[in-house]
Amino acid sequence: MQRRSFIRNAGLSAGLLALAPKDLIAALFQVPAYKITMLRNNVGIFTEKGGTILFYLSDEGIVVVDSEFPDQANHLIDDLKKRNSNPFKLLINTHHHGDHTGGNIAFKGLVEHVVGHENCLANYKRVAGEQKSEDKQLFQDITFKDTWKHKIGKEKIKAYYFGPAHTNGDALIHFQNSNIVHIGDLMFNRMYPVVDKKAGASFQNWVKVLDKAQETFDDQTIFVFGHGSNNAVVGSKDDLKGMQNYINQLLKLVDENIKAGKTKDEIMQITSVPNVGEWKDELKRIKSNLEAAYEELTT
Ligand SMILES: [Zn+2]
Ligand SMILES: [Zn+2]
């Protein structure tokens, strides 16, 4: 259980309230801030703060996909070392955003290689340069253009790139034997997404990328999402269809308003996208989504 939800639930627990303040604090600090869930075989996920991390434990070494932030990466590393005594072989990044690469630095001197799409590395270097934070990063030393493959333990790992979507460097990382794919921030499950135009994002192509994901993987595939409402970060093709529907409805809404002669300012006043089912805007991303859709449809 995450500490935040523990504190929230603790408010309802008569047992905890009966504890002396000193013991209550001790009880709270014994609860780890992170959560680890095993999915299939030796593949699991770690969630604490930032984009979901996926890991694979094998007798030939450990593979980690994404790294959240430095504190979170250290929690993960400490926990995995207790589960498996083999070295960290690969760290793979789904894309460059800080909530997925911020913890890379914790793997410095620990992991053999860091892997990512070539545009992921270019974006990562650009942003680190802008922030003058190069010394706090661990950049990819292996990059790829279309696909990349690696065999380790009982797994065959294959990374795919299907074109620009959330950024122009979103990779999908498939653990073929377990049939689990980390789809990164191509999925904001049941929530309005971040769309990084500065890094070459495209809503129109995002729909096509999600089509390719559904063609490439099957009905037994477990999809791991970068983010999800209510911690729903694991799912199936049905969830991908929901995300596609959100983007299609957003584009349709903006397109209809443009055709009705509305100005950009008027379109930016829209407060929600209709017909998107459970997709919510808890983090207030509607304006950036409308602006990105407007830009795409008018240029
Ligand atoms: Zn993210
Ligand atoms: Zn992202």
Side-chain angles (χ1 to χ4, degrees), residues 47-64:
T47 49
E48 183 178 347
K49 188 176 97 180
T52 312
I53 294 173
L54 181 149
F55 61 84
Y56 167 55
L57 306 170
S58 85
D59 51 14
E60 284 181 40
I62 303 173
V63 180
V64 173

Side-chain angles (χ1 to χ4, degrees), residues 94-100 166-167 170 184-186 188 194 196 227:
T94 58
H95 66 299
H96 74 290
H97 284 154
D99 58 318
H100 300 257
H166 165 71
T167 69
D170 308 301
D185 282 2
L186 293 173
F188 282 77
V194 171
D196 190 347
H227 304 275

Side-chain angles (χ1 to χ4, degrees), residues 21-263:
K22 180 167 64 68
D23 297 332
L24 177 63
I25 287 163
L28 287 171
F29 276 92
Q30 274 163 15
V31 178
Y34 60 85
K35 186 176 170 188
I36 283 183
T37 311
M38 296 311 295
L39 298 178
R40 235 180 229 164
N41 302 328
N42 288 313
V43 180
I45 56 166
F46 169 102
T47 49
E48 183 178 347
K49 188 176 97 180
T52 312
I53 294 173
L54 181 149
F55 61 84
Y56 167 55
L57 306 170
S58 85
D59 51 14
E60 284 181 40
I62 303 173
V63 180
V64 173
V65 182
D66 285 351
S67 63
E68 296 196 349
F69 300 99
D71 285 349
Q72 285 63 44
N74 281 316
H75 294 162
L76 170 82
I77 290 165
D78 289 346
D79 196 297
L80 296 188
K81 276 181 174 173
K82 286 177 213 154
R83 293 167 192 255
N84 187 300
S85 58
N86 294 304
F88 287 87
K89 285 280 181 185
L90 293 170
L91 170 61
I92 307 171
N93 291 122
T94 58
H95 66 299
H96 74 290
H97 284 154
D99 58 318
H100 300 257
T101 58
N104 278 21
I105 190 71
F107 290 88
K108 194 173 182 177
L110 202 62
V111 77
E112 271 179 33
H113 294 289
V114 187
V115 185
H117 186 261
E118 59 185 20
N119 293 342
C120 166
L121 176 59
N123 289 324
Y124 189 11
K125 282 191 165 163
R126 171 180 57 79
V127 173
E130 286 165 4
Q131 297 172 344
K132 302 205 187 322
S133 67
E134 288 98 332
D135 58 330
K136 296 186 185 69
Q137 315 302 336
L138 182 65
F139 294 109
Q140 292 83 22
D141 62 310
I142 296 173
T143 59
F144 64 94
K145 199 177 173 66
D146 299 315
T147 60
W148 171 87
K149 281 185 200 175
H150 188 86
K151 216 178 153 296
I152 174 167
K154 292 187 180 67
E155 275 298 345
K156 282 185 191 151
I157 303 168
K158 186 170 180 185
Y160 296 83
Y161 177 68
F162 293 147
H166 165 71
T167 69
N168 63 5
D170 308 301
L172 300 87
I173 318 298
H174 190 210
F175 290 72
Q176 294 178 325
N177 185 50
S178 300
N179 197 7
I180 297 173
V181 60
H182 195 325
I183 193 164
D185 282 2
L186 293 173
M187 274 299 293
F188 282 77
N189 190 29
R190 290 165 170 76
M191 60 202 287
Y192 287 26
V194 171
V195 55
D196 190 347
K197 280 282 168 194
K198 230 180 147 185
S202 165
F203 268 134
Q204 287 164 310
N205 206 59
W206 196 332
V207 175
K208 293 178 194 160
V209 166
L210 289 170
D211 267 335
K212 282 183 198 153
Q214 289 169 72
E215 286 160 21
T216 306
F217 307 112
D218 61 38
D219 291 343
Q220 272 69 51
T221 306
I222 296 176
F223 291 86
V224 172
F225 312 139
H227 304 275
S229 187
N230 296 319
N231 298 322
V233 292
V234 175
S236 68
K237 283 187 186 180
D238 283 344
D239 303 306
L240 273 60
K241 288 193 179 86
M243 183 81 205
Q244 274 182 310
N245 178 57
Y246 168 78
I247 299 169
N248 281 328
Q249 294 292 341
L250 169 77
L251 289 167
K252 183 167 165 268
L253 174 71
V254 173
D255 190 48
E256 283 169 357
N257 276 276
I258 292 168
K259 286 186 176 137
K262 296 276 173 63
T263 65

